[in-house]
Amino acid sequence: MAVQVVDVAERGRFEALIDGEVAGYAEYLRGDSLVVYPHTEVDPAFEGQGVGGALARAALEDAKSRGLPVLATCPFIASWMRRHPEYLELAYQNRSTAAD
């Protein structure tokens, strides 16, 4: 069973399709200098079949190709990034400093 991930820009999310059926999605808020991944959801019927991982990988590869840092407020995406250190370079780093 192959998972196909498509960017549905008008809905602000990546959708994972299995046999044409939406098996899950990863929402995003994409700006000119940052992309935020706030929520990922996998249909319970498709859990344990690699749908979440396929969504995370596609979302992060998209950010990488656009040169955008990632703010992963979604616990799943944040956890996935920690388990795949090759994507940690994308993690948003706050570069402002507070004045004392």
Side-chain angles (χ1 to χ4, degrees):
M1 185 172 359
V3 179
Q4 176 189 14
V5 178
V6 295
D7 183 358
V8 185
E10 62 273 11
R11 297 188 79 186
R13 68 189 204 175
F14 290 94
E15 292 183 351
L17 307 173
I18 296 179
D19 295 330
E21 184 178 348
V22 177
Y25 60 88
E27 296 175 341
Y28 63 79
L29 302 165
R30 188 186 297 140
D32 293 335
S33 59
L34 177 73
V35 62
V36 179
Y37 295 114
H39 181 68
T40 302
E41 191 167 319
V42 174
D43 184 309
F46 295 100
E47 287 181 359
Q49 298 180 38
V51 173
L55 284 165
R57 186 176 306 280
L60 295 169
E61 283 294 328
D62 180 77
K64 186 177 188 177
S65 73
R66 295 172 187 271
L68 294 175
V70 170
L71 179 57
T73 59
C74 169
F76 177 80
I77 298 286
S79 172
W80 198 91
M81 287 177 76
R82 284 191 298 275
R83 289 191 317 272
H84 296 85
E86 66 271 25
Y87 291 101
L88 286 177
E89 68 186 30
L90 297 173
Y92 172 74
Q93 300 292 321
N94 185 351
R95 288 175 175 73
S96 66
T97 58
D100 292 340

